[in-house]
Amino acid sequence: MYKKINEKDLEYLRKITSQDRVFSKDEIESDYTHDELGTVKAIPEVHVKVINKEEVIEIMKYAHKEVIPVTVRGAGTGLVGACVPVSGGILLDLSKMTQFIELDKENLTLTVEPGVLLLDIYEYVEKEGLFYAPDPGEKTATIGGNIACNAGGMRAVKYGVTRDWVRGLEVVLANGDLIHLGGKVVKNSTGYDLKDLIIGSEGTLAIVVSATLKLIPKPKRLTSLLVPFETLEQAIEVAPKLMVDHVIPTGLEIFEKTSIKSSEEFLGKKIPNGNYEAYLLLSYDGSNDQALEEDIEIASKLCVEKYGAIDAFLVDTEERKGNIWTVRGGFLEAIKASTTEMDECDVVLPRSNILEFLNYTKEVSKNLKMRIPYFGHIGDGNLHIYLCKDDIEQKKYDELKQKGFDLLYKKAYELGGLVSGEHGIGYAKREYLEKMTEKPHLELMKSIKKVFDPKGILNPNKVV
Amino acid sequence: MYKKINEKDLEYLRKITSQDRVFSKDEIESDYTHDELGTVKAIPEVHVKVINKEEVIEIMKYAHKEVIPVTVRGAGTGLVGACVPVSGGILLDLSKMTQFIELDKENLTLTVEPGVLLLDIYEYVEKEGLFYAPDPGEKTATIGGNIACNAGGMRAVKYGVTRDWVRGLEVVLANGDLIHLGGKVVKNSTGYDLKDLIIGSEGTLAIVVSATLKLIPKPKRLTSLLVPFETLEQAIEVAPKLMVDHVIPTGLEIFEKTSIKSSEEFLGKKIPNGNYEAYLLLSYDGSNDQALEEDIEIASKLCVEKYGAIDAFLVDTEERKGNIWTVRGGFLEAIKASTTEMDECDVVLPRSNILEFLNYTKEVSKNLKMRIPYFGHIGDGNLHIYLCKDDIEQKKYDELKQKGFDLLYKKAYELGGLVSGEHGIGYAKREYLEKMTEKPHLELMKSIKKVFDPKGILNPNKVV
């Protein structure tokens, strides 16, 4: 169906880009054959590093004419294989498109190319006293990648997800047409919302070549409360209750002993007051000291007096903050380092149903005799659950993993959840999107894919 | 192309709903032949008041089989003719679907049927100490209507628009299939974002039969500052500057003398301190008194000392608040009452370009010799501009109106704006969506319409 790339194609790609940015065969580095999780692997026929939208347009025109698959890649920090060129063809690498196009202080927007890293955005806007709120764990991801999977992160309870911070997109369509969606405007009721359709579509509908992000003034202070509980169940139960009490933090994370210990060992760092069974980490941000203190006081009091927390430690020094967030940041790496292979489940649930789901996860772990560690953004019901191979034999592991995912996703849907909170569907979770989605709903998605990409060249075999 | 409704169809519709909720011919009240603005008029072949989603499903199955157009109507408060059955067929009236299905205090969501009025939602959640933030001028609109046009309102600067407050939708497709989009979850990266595609699609893609709304704890206080300026230009210029100074209000409205006077006369009410040329009304909300006072103090100081405002009046009593918001609420009615006919332009612009656009509007008004009053949500760049017929002869008015719209939309696009900020496209603005949208972008919208509604029965001749 797809055309295989030959020497003439390579020559053309070199002509419209540059000699030294087109790689084929042995020149392709192994880093570009997988993503962060590494379970999905494929070698592209050609790896092209582009530096501007004009190159993207020319490549898409050519790929469309010749029917060559194009898989877009940013920093490759995804976990579902979305950037892996499973159908071969062109790996379109946007990581060199790193221009900061415009900071507009009157409209509070920042326009950037897709290859800009999240950590560089933070630094750039914070110097100006401004703030881009989405806070995914992986700061070396590109903004293009964040838009592709609608990344969430640790401030979603208060600030929402990437989608909520994208005002406008410039995208290249499958045939090379360039269109503009949204803009710097705050409101928009001008026809169908294609901007939000592109966000989260993981490179299967169009290629983002610039994004206009919403900014707000940077909150002057961020304070956290580390709240230990005697049992994990207690900690989990408190999260939705805090909402009923109208104590809404910026972020609300859960830490349990096993995750903490393994991250501490992995990093050689320790969190303060770190010997309890489970913790909630509540963070609050704002610009008024008194208001912030009031929030913290109410939250501490509620946790200890009403919900039986052992204590509530103010995380007020830079050192304490640093240690805690470093250990939190090490959860994934530590789990990865602890096992021979793993796959992940990024379910999202109504937060009131998390305890039931996690209890079920434990049951599954016990029944399958498989280690299933997890951590999660408990404030927004998004859990990251890891099915670990450890020393299970490969064939057996593949079977157990399949069974485990089947059980977990089924339970998630029974509890009002969905397949993915923030990592996307990519290649790895296609089967579960297909299984769990109502048929007419799925058919609509497939038809929309055809509308945008009739020849099926954009990131084939991903999402739907 | 479409089947005309006959006695047998009416009989069937009565059978699947009820004798007393199906109206045809002389039974159709004239209220149901137009919307609030009234410029688009059409009589449906049949007007059906449905009371639940099962009826909607049955009607759609039938309409799909028989190829009968279906136009959904809520409270009819729209301004672009979206709910007017311009192709005849069934007027599907959802205004009796008024169930509050579930208030979920743990997940902070409210699930309602589409016919529930905005004012009833406010009352319902505020009794529970909760808050639904979107604040469109028309409180007697239904939530279904608000979702259909992605209504904005006066708190969009801080809180965003309807889209930002819809977590999940239950929708009936053109063929009667029922699907669920989103849910109670905070994050979602599970396939293409059809929820946001439906929001703002004005009944052309699917019919919303229930919506799960996001809620937050109700801010304890709302305070406003009424800030008079010597000239309108001065007032307009200050809005984007306040953003640069990081003084971000909940809402930021502009009042100018003519609008105030005509609303005051229309209502027989006066705003306090109401004799200046132009005003900004800055509102702030929050739960911490000190933080709120600080915001207000900084804003007052900046306006008066840095930006040359004449004064800054605290709108602190219920009476003052009531008067100001009543007069603000009367702007549209007063303009409507002041002229024989009018049509409106709901452009949205980057807020830094509003002054240039309004100066241009004045020029157009002068050149066309047509009165063009306006008001707007200056904080989010959304303007409501009215082209008034007054005593211009009809044919001449139609010509001038066309010319006026052409000029205004063209200018808006030059300045990074869009056709509609919050009223939608409906029937009245189709031409401008078509003219102003890049061709491949428009083609995508049309193809998406076909995916959802291959027979073209859902609100035909609207949007695209």
Side-chain angles (χ1 to χ4, degrees), chain B residues 136-166:
Chain B
E138 182 56 69
K139 310 295 187 251
T140 62
T142 64
I143 187 68
N146 270 230
I147 292 168
C149 70
N150 187 25
M154 324 228 205
R155 293 194 280 242
V157 182
K158 177 170 175 183
Y159 290 114
V161 296
T162 303
R163 178 182 307 290
D164 304 305
W165 293 78
V166 177

PDB file of all heavy atoms in Angstrom, chain B residues 136-166:
ATOM      1  N   PRO B 136     -22.997  34.198  30.623  1.00  0.00           N
ATOM      2  CA  PRO B 136     -23.522  34.915  29.461  1.00  0.00           C
ATOM      3  C   PRO B 136     -24.607  35.907  29.888  1.00  0.00           C
ATOM      4  O   PRO B 136     -25.276  35.690  30.904  1.00  0.00           O
ATOM      5  CB  PRO B 136     -24.136  33.802  28.600  1.00  0.00           C
ATOM      6  CG  PRO B 136     -23.520  32.538  29.080  1.00  0.00           C
ATOM      7  CD  PRO B 136     -23.274  32.755  30.541  1.00  0.00           C
ATOM      8  N   GLY B 137     -24.749  36.970  29.140  1.00  0.00           N
ATOM      9  CA  GLY B 137     -25.737  38.000  29.468  1.00  0.00           C
ATOM     10  C   GLY B 137     -27.143  37.444  29.625  1.00  0.00           C
ATOM     11  O   GLY B 137     -27.889  37.841  30.517  1.00  0.00           O
ATOM     12  N   GLU B 138     -27.502  36.489  28.791  1.00  0.00           N
ATOM     13  CA  GLU B 138     -28.869  35.975  28.764  1.00  0.00           C
ATOM     14  C   GLU B 138     -29.033  34.799  29.725  1.00  0.00           C
ATOM     15  O   GLU B 138     -28.706  33.664  29.388  1.00  0.00           O
ATOM     16  CB  GLU B 138     -29.196  35.547  27.331  1.00  0.00           C
ATOM     17  CG  GLU B 138     -30.586  35.032  27.137  1.00  0.00           C
ATOM     18  CD  GLU B 138     -31.652  36.020  27.569  1.00  0.00           C
ATOM     19  OE1 GLU B 138     -31.798  37.058  26.901  1.00  0.00           O
ATOM     20  OE2 GLU B 138     -32.319  35.755  28.594  1.00  0.00           O
ATOM     21  N   LYS B 139     -29.561  35.090  30.910  1.00  0.00           N
ATOM     22  CA  LYS B 139     -29.661  34.030  31.924  1.00  0.00           C
ATOM     23  C   LYS B 139     -30.837  33.093  31.688  1.00  0.00           C
ATOM     24  O   LYS B 139     -30.951  32.049  32.335  1.00  0.00           O
ATOM     25  CB  LYS B 139     -29.793  34.629  33.325  1.00  0.00           C
ATOM     26  CG  LYS B 139     -28.776  35.698  33.672  1.00  0.00           C
ATOM     27  CD  LYS B 139     -27.368  35.172  33.720  1.00  0.00           C
ATOM     28  CE  LYS B 139     -26.411  36.243  34.226  1.00  0.00           C
ATOM     29  NZ  LYS B 139     -25.504  36.765  33.172  1.00  0.00           N
ATOM     30  N   THR B 140     -31.772  33.461  30.819  1.00  0.00           N
ATOM     31  CA  THR B 140     -32.901  32.572  30.539  1.00  0.00           C
ATOM     32  C   THR B 140     -32.613  31.660  29.350  1.00  0.00           C
ATOM     33  O   THR B 140     -33.516  31.025  28.823  1.00  0.00           O
ATOM     34  CB  THR B 140     -34.203  33.356  30.272  1.00  0.00           C
ATOM     35  OG1 THR B 140     -33.995  34.164  29.102  1.00  0.00           O
ATOM     36  CG2 THR B 140     -34.553  34.256  31.431  1.00  0.00           C
ATOM     37  N   ALA B 141     -31.349  31.621  28.922  1.00  0.00           N
ATOM     38  CA  ALA B 141     -30.947  30.644  27.911  1.00  0.00           C
ATOM     39  C   ALA B 141     -30.895  29.271  28.554  1.00  0.00           C
ATOM     40  O   ALA B 141     -30.735  29.155  29.771  1.00  0.00           O
ATOM     41  CB  ALA B 141     -29.578  31.012  27.357  1.00  0.00           C
ATOM     42  N   THR B 142     -31.002  28.220  27.758  1.00  0.00           N
ATOM     43  CA  THR B 142     -30.829  26.866  28.294  1.00  0.00           C
ATOM     44  C   THR B 142     -29.351  26.500  28.251  1.00  0.00           C
ATOM     45  O   THR B 142     -28.590  27.042  27.448  1.00  0.00           O
ATOM     46  CB  THR B 142     -31.591  25.820  27.460  1.00  0.00           C
ATOM     47  OG1 THR B 142     -31.031  25.783  26.137  1.00  0.00           O
ATOM     48  CG2 THR B 142     -33.078  26.139  27.384  1.00  0.00           C
ATOM     49  N   ILE B 143     -28.982  25.532  29.066  1.00  0.00           N
ATOM     50  CA  ILE B 143     -27.590  25.065  29.034  1.00  0.00           C
ATOM     51  C   ILE B 143     -27.310  24.386  27.689  1.00  0.00           C
ATOM     52  O   ILE B 143     -26.204  24.501  27.152  1.00  0.00           O
ATOM     53  CB  ILE B 143     -27.271  24.144  30.247  1.00  0.00           C
ATOM     54  CG1 ILE B 143     -25.785  23.797  30.294  1.00  0.00           C
ATOM     55  CG2 ILE B 143     -28.090  22.869  30.226  1.00  0.00           C
ATOM     56  CD1 ILE B 143     -24.879  24.965  30.624  1.00  0.00           C
ATOM     57  N   GLY B 144     -28.299  23.742  27.133  1.00  0.00           N
ATOM     58  CA  GLY B 144     -28.122  23.133  25.805  1.00  0.00           C
ATOM     59  C   GLY B 144     -27.784  24.180  24.758  1.00  0.00           C
ATOM     60  O   GLY B 144     -26.885  23.992  23.931  1.00  0.00           O
ATOM     61  N   GLY B 145     -28.480  25.302  24.822  1.00  0.00           N
ATOM     62  CA  GLY B 145     -28.194  26.413  23.905  1.00  0.00           C
ATOM     63  C   GLY B 145     -26.801  26.979  24.132  1.00  0.00           C
ATOM     64  O   GLY B 145     -26.074  27.294  23.190  1.00  0.00           O
ATOM     65  N   ASN B 146     -26.437  27.095  25.406  1.00  0.00           N
ATOM     66  CA  ASN B 146     -25.087  27.584  25.747  1.00  0.00           C
ATOM     67  C   ASN B 146     -24.004  26.665  25.193  1.00  0.00           C
ATOM     68  O   ASN B 146     -22.968  27.123  24.723  1.00  0.00           O
ATOM     69  CB  ASN B 146     -24.925  27.678  27.269  1.00  0.00           C
ATOM     70  CG  ASN B 146     -25.332  29.030  27.824  1.00  0.00           C
ATOM     71  OD1 ASN B 146     -24.601  29.650  28.579  1.00  0.00           O
ATOM     72  ND2 ASN B 146     -26.486  29.526  27.447  1.00  0.00           N
ATOM     73  N   ILE B 147     -24.257  25.368  25.253  1.00  0.00           N
ATOM     74  CA  ILE B 147     -23.281  24.404  24.727  1.00  0.00           C
ATOM     75  C   ILE B 147     -23.265  24.481  23.201  1.00  0.00           C
ATOM     76  O   ILE B 147     -22.206  24.423  22.572  1.00  0.00           O
ATOM     77  CB  ILE B 147     -23.605  22.980  25.236  1.00  0.00           C
ATOM     78  CG1 ILE B 147     -23.357  22.907  26.742  1.00  0.00           C
ATOM     79  CG2 ILE B 147     -22.799  21.918  24.501  1.00  0.00           C
ATOM     80  CD1 ILE B 147     -23.904  21.665  27.423  1.00  0.00           C
ATOM     81  N   ALA B 148     -24.436  24.645  22.618  1.00  0.00           N
ATOM     82  CA  ALA B 148     -24.539  24.691  21.155  1.00  0.00           C
ATOM     83  C   ALA B 148     -23.715  25.827  20.554  1.00  0.00           C
ATOM     84  O   ALA B 148     -23.099  25.670  19.506  1.00  0.00           O
ATOM     85  CB  ALA B 148     -26.001  24.824  20.734  1.00  0.00           C
ATOM     86  N   CYS B 149     -23.693  26.984  21.237  1.00  0.00           N
ATOM     87  CA  CYS B 149     -22.951  28.117  20.657  1.00  0.00           C
ATOM     88  C   CYS B 149     -21.676  28.411  21.435  1.00  0.00           C
ATOM     89  O   CYS B 149     -21.019  29.409  21.174  1.00  0.00           O
ATOM     90  CB  CYS B 149     -23.835  29.358  20.558  1.00  0.00           C
ATOM     91  SG  CYS B 149     -24.239  30.079  22.134  1.00  0.00           S
ATOM     92  N   ASN B 150     -21.334  27.537  22.389  1.00  0.00           N
ATOM     93  CA  ASN B 150     -20.166  27.782  23.238  1.00  0.00           C
ATOM     94  C   ASN B 150     -20.222  29.189  23.823  1.00  0.00           C
ATOM     95  O   ASN B 150     -19.319  30.016  23.625  1.00  0.00           O
ATOM     96  CB  ASN B 150     -18.867  27.567  22.456  1.00  0.00           C
ATOM     97  CG  ASN B 150     -17.631  27.656  23.334  1.00  0.00           C
ATOM     98  OD1 ASN B 150     -17.698  27.425  24.534  1.00  0.00           O
ATOM     99  ND2 ASN B 150     -16.516  28.017  22.742  1.00  0.00           N
ATOM    100  N   ALA B 151     -21.295  29.449  24.551  1.00  0.00           N
ATOM    101  CA  ALA B 151     -21.538  30.782  25.092  1.00  0.00           C
ATOM    102  C   ALA B 151     -20.386  31.246  25.982  1.00  0.00           C
ATOM    103  O   ALA B 151     -19.742  30.440  26.645  1.00  0.00           O
ATOM    104  CB  ALA B 151     -22.840  30.767  25.891  1.00  0.00           C
ATOM    105  N   GLY B 152     -20.146  32.548  25.977  1.00  0.00           N
ATOM    106  CA  GLY B 152     -19.021  33.094  26.723  1.00  0.00           C
ATOM    107  C   GLY B 152     -19.485  33.849  27.952  1.00  0.00           C
ATOM    108  O   GLY B 152     -19.739  33.256  28.991  1.00  0.00           O
ATOM    109  N   GLY B 153     -19.615  35.165  27.819  1.00  0.00           N
ATOM    110  CA  GLY B 153     -20.126  35.943  28.928  1.00  0.00           C
ATOM    111  C   GLY B 153     -19.086  36.797  29.601  1.00  0.00           C
ATOM    112  O   GLY B 153     -18.002  37.027  29.067  1.00  0.00           O
ATOM    113  N   MET B 154     -19.435  37.238  30.814  1.00  0.00           N
ATOM    114  CA  MET B 154     -18.704  38.326  31.456  1.00  0.00           C
ATOM    115  C   MET B 154     -17.606  37.873  32.398  1.00  0.00           C
ATOM    116  O   MET B 154     -16.974  38.695  33.032  1.00  0.00           O
ATOM    117  CB  MET B 154     -19.688  39.189  32.237  1.00  0.00           C
ATOM    118  CG  MET B 154     -21.008  39.305  31.524  1.00  0.00           C
ATOM    119  SD  MET B 154     -21.609  40.949  31.402  1.00  0.00           S
ATOM    120  CE  MET B 154     -23.357  40.601  31.242  1.00  0.00           C
ATOM    121  N   ARG B 155     -17.447  36.582  32.592  1.00  0.00           N
ATOM    122  CA  ARG B 155     -16.378  36.143  33.472  1.00  0.00           C
ATOM    123  C   ARG B 155     -15.300  35.364  32.719  1.00  0.00           C
ATOM    124  O   ARG B 155     -14.508  34.637  33.318  1.00  0.00           O
ATOM    125  CB  ARG B 155     -16.961  35.268  34.601  1.00  0.00           C
ATOM    126  CG  ARG B 155     -17.845  36.062  35.554  1.00  0.00           C
ATOM    127  CD  ARG B 155     -18.145  35.304  36.844  1.00  0.00           C
ATOM    128  NE  ARG B 155     -19.202  34.328  36.658  1.00  0.00           N
ATOM    129  CZ  ARG B 155     -20.376  34.347  37.284  1.00  0.00           C
ATOM    130  NH1 ARG B 155     -20.656  35.314  38.142  1.00  0.00           N
ATOM    131  NH2 ARG B 155     -21.269  33.413  37.070  1.00  0.00           N
ATOM    132  N   ALA B 156     -15.297  35.539  31.394  1.00  0.00           N
ATOM    133  CA  ALA B 156     -14.409  34.715  30.562  1.00  0.00           C
ATOM    134  C   ALA B 156     -12.939  35.050  30.769  1.00  0.00           C
ATOM    135  O   ALA B 156     -12.075  34.195  30.574  1.00  0.00           O
ATOM    136  CB  ALA B 156     -14.776  34.864  29.100  1.00  0.00           C
ATOM    137  N   VAL B 157     -12.621  36.275  31.165  1.00  0.00           N
ATOM    138  CA  VAL B 157     -11.213  36.637  31.345  1.00  0.00           C
ATOM    139  C   VAL B 157     -10.575  35.678  32.338  1.00  0.00           C
ATOM    140  O   VAL B 157      -9.522  35.102  32.089  1.00  0.00           O
ATOM    141  CB  VAL B 157     -11.059  38.093  31.847  1.00  0.00           C
ATOM    142  CG1 VAL B 157      -9.592  38.458  31.986  1.00  0.00           C
ATOM    143  CG2 VAL B 157     -11.765  39.072  30.926  1.00  0.00           C
ATOM    144  N   LYS B 158     -11.238  35.491  33.463  1.00  0.00           N
ATOM    145  CA  LYS B 158     -10.685  34.598  34.483  1.00  0.00           C
ATOM    146  C   LYS B 158     -11.088  33.142  34.277  1.00  0.00           C
ATOM    147  O   LYS B 158     -10.273  32.239  34.457  1.00  0.00           O
ATOM    148  CB  LYS B 158     -11.137  35.068  35.875  1.00  0.00           C
ATOM    149  CG  LYS B 158     -10.661  34.153  37.009  1.00  0.00           C
ATOM    150  CD  LYS B 158     -10.911  34.791  38.371  1.00  0.00           C
ATOM    151  CE  LYS B 158     -10.548  33.848  39.509  1.00  0.00           C
ATOM    152  NZ  LYS B 158     -10.866  34.453  40.814  1.00  0.00           N
ATOM    153  N   TYR B 159     -12.349  32.907  33.912  1.00  0.00           N
ATOM    154  CA  TYR B 159     -12.882  31.545  33.983  1.00  0.00           C
ATOM    155  C   TYR B 159     -13.076  30.846  32.640  1.00  0.00           C
ATOM    156  O   TYR B 159     -13.466  29.679  32.611  1.00  0.00           O
ATOM    157  CB  TYR B 159     -14.208  31.539  34.740  1.00  0.00           C
ATOM    158  CG  TYR B 159     -14.084  31.809  36.220  1.00  0.00           C
ATOM    159  CD1 TYR B 159     -14.617  32.958  36.796  1.00  0.00           C
ATOM    160  CD2 TYR B 159     -13.438  30.899  37.042  1.00  0.00           C
ATOM    161  CE1 TYR B 159     -14.517  33.194  38.164  1.00  0.00           C
ATOM    162  CE2 TYR B 159     -13.338  31.127  38.417  1.00  0.00           C
ATOM    163  CZ  TYR B 159     -13.873  32.282  38.970  1.00  0.00           C
ATOM    164  OH  TYR B 159     -13.769  32.503  40.314  1.00  0.00           O
ATOM    165  N   GLY B 160     -12.842  31.534  31.536  1.00  0.00           N
ATOM    166  CA  GLY B 160     -13.062  30.883  30.252  1.00  0.00           C
ATOM    167  C   GLY B 160     -14.538  30.847  29.881  1.00  0.00           C
ATOM    168  O   GLY B 160     -15.362  31.557  30.467  1.00  0.00           O
ATOM    169  N   VAL B 161     -14.868  29.988  28.930  1.00  0.00           N
ATOM    170  CA  VAL B 161     -16.210  29.966  28.354  1.00  0.00           C
ATOM    171  C   VAL B 161     -16.885  28.618  28.630  1.00  0.00           C
ATOM    172  O   VAL B 161     -16.346  27.772  29.333  1.00  0.00           O
ATOM    173  CB  VAL B 161     -16.121  30.237  26.830  1.00  0.00           C
ATOM    174  CG1 VAL B 161     -15.577  31.636  26.573  1.00  0.00           C
ATOM    175  CG2 VAL B 161     -15.237  29.189  26.137  1.00  0.00           C
ATOM    176  N   THR B 162     -18.069  28.428  28.086  1.00  0.00           N
ATOM    177  CA  THR B 162     -18.837  27.205  28.354  1.00  0.00           C
ATOM    178  C   THR B 162     -17.997  25.944  28.135  1.00  0.00           C
ATOM    179  O   THR B 162     -17.996  25.026  28.958  1.00  0.00           O
ATOM    180  CB  THR B 162     -20.090  27.154  27.458  1.00  0.00           C
ATOM    181  OG1 THR B 162     -20.865  28.333  27.704  1.00  0.00           O
ATOM    182  CG2 THR B 162     -20.933  25.927  27.753  1.00  0.00           C
ATOM    183  N   ARG B 163     -17.284  25.913  26.994  1.00  0.00           N
ATOM    184  CA  ARG B 163     -16.431  24.764  26.671  1.00  0.00           C
ATOM    185  C   ARG B 163     -15.556  24.323  27.857  1.00  0.00           C
ATOM    186  O   ARG B 163     -15.372  23.133  28.086  1.00  0.00           O
ATOM    187  CB  ARG B 163     -15.524  25.166  25.502  1.00  0.00           C
ATOM    188  CG  ARG B 163     -14.532  24.119  25.061  1.00  0.00           C
ATOM    189  CD  ARG B 163     -13.657  24.638  23.919  1.00  0.00           C
ATOM    190  NE  ARG B 163     -14.397  25.167  22.803  1.00  0.00           N
ATOM    191  CZ  ARG B 163     -15.116  24.463  21.965  1.00  0.00           C
ATOM    192  NH1 ARG B 163     -15.215  23.164  22.119  1.00  0.00           N
ATOM    193  NH2 ARG B 163     -15.762  25.055  20.982  1.00  0.00           N
ATOM    194  N   ASP B 164     -15.042  25.291  28.577  1.00  0.00           N
ATOM    195  CA  ASP B 164     -14.120  24.989  29.677  1.00  0.00           C
ATOM    196  C   ASP B 164     -14.823  24.386  30.885  1.00  0.00           C
ATOM    197  O   ASP B 164     -14.176  23.951  31.842  1.00  0.00           O
ATOM    198  CB  ASP B 164     -13.380  26.263  30.103  1.00  0.00           C
ATOM    199  CG  ASP B 164     -12.645  26.894  28.930  1.00  0.00           C
ATOM    200  OD1 ASP B 164     -11.842  26.186  28.310  1.00  0.00           O
ATOM    201  OD2 ASP B 164     -12.892  28.069  28.602  1.00  0.00           O
ATOM    202  N   TRP B 165     -16.154  24.384  30.861  1.00  0.00           N
ATOM    203  CA  TRP B 165     -16.926  23.916  32.014  1.00  0.00           C
ATOM    204  C   TRP B 165     -17.786  22.701  31.694  1.00  0.00           C
ATOM    205  O   TRP B 165     -18.648  22.329  32.480  1.00  0.00           O
ATOM    206  CB  TRP B 165     -17.756  25.090  32.564  1.00  0.00           C
ATOM    207  CG  TRP B 165     -16.837  26.109  33.141  1.00  0.00           C
ATOM    208  CD1 TRP B 165     -16.091  27.028  32.445  1.00  0.00           C
ATOM    209  CD2 TRP B 165     -16.464  26.257  34.502  1.00  0.00           C
ATOM    210  NE1 TRP B 165     -15.289  27.746  33.300  1.00  0.00           N
ATOM    211  CE2 TRP B 165     -15.500  27.308  34.572  1.00  0.00           C
ATOM    212  CE3 TRP B 165     -16.851  25.626  35.692  1.00  0.00           C
ATOM    213  CZ2 TRP B 165     -14.925  27.702  35.779  1.00  0.00           C
ATOM    214  CZ3 TRP B 165     -16.283  26.043  36.894  1.00  0.00           C
ATOM    215  CH2 TRP B 165     -15.335  27.064  36.931  1.00  0.00           C
ATOM    216  N   VAL B 166     -17.553  22.105  30.541  1.00  0.00           N
ATOM    217  CA  VAL B 166     -18.283  20.891  30.184  1.00  0.00           C
ATOM    218  C   VAL B 166     -17.323  19.710  30.229  1.00  0.00           C
ATOM    219  O   VAL B 166     -16.363  19.666  29.465  1.00  0.00           O
ATOM    220  CB  VAL B 166     -18.908  21.006  28.776  1.00  0.00           C
ATOM    221  CG1 VAL B 166     -19.599  19.697  28.391  1.00  0.00           C
ATOM    222  CG2 VAL B 166     -19.891  22.165  28.709  1.00  0.00           C
TER     223      VAL B 166
END
